[in-house]
Each structure stands twice: as C-alpha cells, then as structure tokens.
Amino acid sequence: AVDVAEHRDEIDALSAGEYGDPYELLQESIAPSVLGMETIKQVLALQLFGGSRVEHPDGTSTRGDIHVLLVGDPGTAKSTLLEDIEDKAPSAVAASGKGATAAGLTASASQTEFGSGTAEWTLDAGALVLADDGIACIDELDKVDEAAVKSLHQALSKQYISVNKAGINTKLPTRTALLAAGNPKHGRFDEFESIAEQIDLPPTLLSRFDIIWPLNDVPDPDTDAEIASGMMHNHDEAIQYTAGVLEPEEMETAPAVPAELLRAWVAHAKQTCRPRWPEGPARESLVESFVALRRAGEGSDQPGAVTYPGLESQRRP
C-alpha cells in the first residue's frame, strides 16, 4: 500500500513547484535511463495521473483512465518504458501478449475442491481485473490471440467485464488504464506504407486507445552518436553504482522524483483531484482542434480516422 500521509509535505511542495516545473520533474522521472523521448515520457506521466471518471444521471459513466499504445520497431525501448511505468504506478499488473489468453486478461472460472468431497466454482481474476484502479501493462499486444483481443473491447470501453460461466453471472470492474506495446505488422515500419496500415490490430480495438504512438528507428549519424555516447556513460555509472562507488542521487540516470514519492504523488492526485474543462479559451481550443482533426480525416476509412469518442480522448489528458 502507498502511504500518502508519510509524503504529504513533499507532495505539496512538488505540486506547488517548489522543486521545479512539475511537468519537467515528471518527465525526468519516467525511464531516465532511456535517452530522449521527452514527449512520450510526458504522455506516460499524464497516464499515471489519469483524468476524471464521471457518472451521468442516467446511470452511464465516462472513463477517466487513459489508454496508450506504443507501436514500434525492435529496440525502441518499448518494454523498458512499460517496466518503468509498472514500477512507478501505485497499482500495476503486467502481462505479455505472447502467452495471454482471454481468461488470463479478464477472468476465468475454476472448481475448488473441499475436504468433504464437494466442489464449488470460483472466479479467478485476470490482469485487467487485478489492475482495477491502477495500470495494466501488456507487452507484445500484436501477438495476443483473437479471442483475447475480443475480450479487451468491453473491458477497455465500459471498464467492466460481464462473466457468465459455470452458473456465475456477475460483472467485474476493470477501471484500469492500459499501456500496451507491440510491433508493426511486418516487424518493422515500412516507409512506403502508411503507419495506420501497418498496425495489425482490429480497428474496433484501436478505437479504444486515446493515444497511439509510432516509434520509428531511423538511422541518423548525429542522433546515433549522441545516444550511443549516452548509453556508454549510463552503463559506466551503473557499474560504479553496483560497486558502491556512486550513490543514486549522484547519477544522471536517477529519477528526478524517487519512485516511492512518485507513487504517493500519483495516489494523492487520484484520490483528491477532479480536473475539468471550464468555459473559456482552453475548452474552445479543444473543440476547434477536434473539428480540425475530423475535417483532416474526412472520408478516410483508415483506423486513425477521428471519431466522436476521439474528443473524449483529447479531453482526458
């Protein structure tokens, strides 16, 4: 459990900007060993905090959790980013699409035998149910079988799953943000095809994601030299840390906000903050940008074409 009270003074200071710009601190705290990717790190930081889940008078609700999909070439640090978010989130569950089943992601029914010889059916929660009120990190989403993919639809949009197995009829909550990663259809992106055509997932599932981020590994001498030099430096620091020569705060790869404090900060925000879009320029700008995106994708049947749920996706962050 995350002890928010223990870090309350530090959380107030972070939120007030006493240690620096909160957004920059968050960005510098996400996977600091991964060089660059500043905007992606900002996105993942915002996903940790999430938006506001709202209940409507008619009994329906709108999720506040942000679903993010990273699709990229091999070696673009997708798995590292997922592992870091799993570590930083107050509550997180990880799974790999390679061996994931529908039951493993949602729920399964099993018989439990008792000493008297009787047996009862019980439900075993899957990754999305276990991650309720937290984050589910699924690597290799492109390798999830078709049945498992279908099971994600209701869980991601309605934030619950309906279970009708072995005489058990119930709904299990899946109020979780999903961070998923996968590879393009051909293993690597083909520069001669549109990115949308190379994401080998059903359009119905893609529409559940608020942000789909392509990661291209494009050779560039200057960028490659900078990253390679940084990797060598980080590795040298890690060796010195392992040998006890360096303390964490002396290392460039140390997060700006320690993981324990970041978890408490996120937990506090999710418990107390209800961000909204009041009348004013910000709301007008959001509507205008949505209309512009709709016009840009007019007549398109590609998975990236913007639909009205896309406005909710823009609103959440």
Side-chain angles (χ1 to χ4, degrees):
V2 179
D3 190 347
V4 174
E6 181 182 346
H7 300 282
R8 186 57 189 271
D9 292 341
E10 293 172 288
I11 291 171
D12 291 341
L14 283 167
S15 302
E18 294 182 18
Y19 298 141
D21 182 87
Y23 291 103
E24 290 184 7
L25 290 174
L26 286 170
Q27 173 198 304
E28 294 167 3
S29 300
I30 303 298
S33 62
V34 176
L35 302 175
M37 296 190 173
E38 288 82 4
T39 306
I40 297 177
K41 292 179 181 181
Q42 290 175 6
V43 167
L44 298 182
L46 291 174
Q47 184 188 35
L48 280 174
F49 286 85
S52 296
R53 178 183 173 85
V54 296
E55 306 289 342
H56 302 286
D58 62 359
T60 60
S61 63
T62 303
R63 64 178 169 89
D65 297 299
I66 301 168
H67 301 322
V68 178
L69 173 63
L70 306 178
V71 182
D73 297 330
T76 48
K78 301 184 297 298
S79 297
T80 302
L81 292 169
L82 262 67
E83 290 171 3
D84 193 75
I85 292 300
E86 180 193 355
D87 178 61
K88 302 288 172 57
S91 175
V93 176
S96 175
K98 199 165 187 179
T101 62
L105 294 179
T106 54
S108 61
S110 61
Q111 276 190 317
T112 302
E113 294 187 6
F114 297 94
S116 60
T118 61
E120 291 186 4
W121 285 94
T122 58
L123 287 179
D124 298 320
L128 293 178
V129 178
L130 292 173
D132 183 49
D133 210 21
I135 289 184
C137 300
I138 301 179
D139 203 358
E140 298 184 315
L141 184 66
D142 53 306
K143 295 180 176 61
V144 174
D145 64 48
E146 186 177 352
V149 167
K150 289 180 179 179
S151 74
L152 292 173
H153 292 170
Q154 183 186 43
L156 296 184
S157 60
K158 301 299 183 183
Q159 295 212 296
Y160 65 80
I161 56 170
S162 301
V163 179
N164 298 285
K165 299 178 179 180
I168 301 174
N169 298 296
T170 189
K171 291 181 179 178
L172 298 177
T174 57
R175 296 162 297 185
T176 177
L178 176 62
L179 173 58
N183 288 34
K185 180 167 56 177
H186 306 301
R188 299 183 66 90
F189 279 116
D190 185 338
E191 61 179 313
F192 300 107
E193 290 186 30
S194 72
I195 288 177
E197 292 175 340
Q198 298 181 70
I199 300 177
D200 194 20
L201 291 170
T204 50
L205 180 60
L206 290 176
S207 68
R208 266 64 171 182
F209 287 96
D210 303 294
I211 298 174
I212 301 173
W213 201 288
L215 299 171
N216 295 67
D217 181 17
V218 181
D220 177 83
D222 294 333
T223 302
D224 293 345
E226 182 180 353
I227 292 178
S229 177
M231 291 175 64
M232 295 297 291
H233 174 74
N234 292 348
H235 184 69
D236 184 55
E237 277 197 338
I239 291 176
Q240 295 183 71
Y241 169 71
T242 304
V245 177
L246 287 179
E247 296 296 325
E249 58 271 13
E250 299 176 305
M251 301 172 64
E252 293 183 15
T253 53
V257 180
E260 184 179 353
L261 175 56
L262 181 57
R263 282 191 290 269
W265 192 9
V266 172
H268 171 71
K270 292 175 79 71
Q271 293 168 9
T272 60
C273 299
R274 296 293 179 269
R276 53 186 293 267
W277 292 81
E279 292 282 357
R283 183 190 290 189
E284 293 172 5
S285 176
L286 180 66
V287 172
E288 289 172 3
S289 67
F290 171 73
V291 173
L293 285 171
R294 285 276 292 177
R295 180 169 297 177
E298 192 173 9
S300 173
D301 60 354
Q302 297 296 332
V306 179
T307 59
Y308 285 106
L311 178 60
E312 291 293 333
S313 297
Q314 289 181 276
R315 176 192 59 77
R316 289 185 188 100

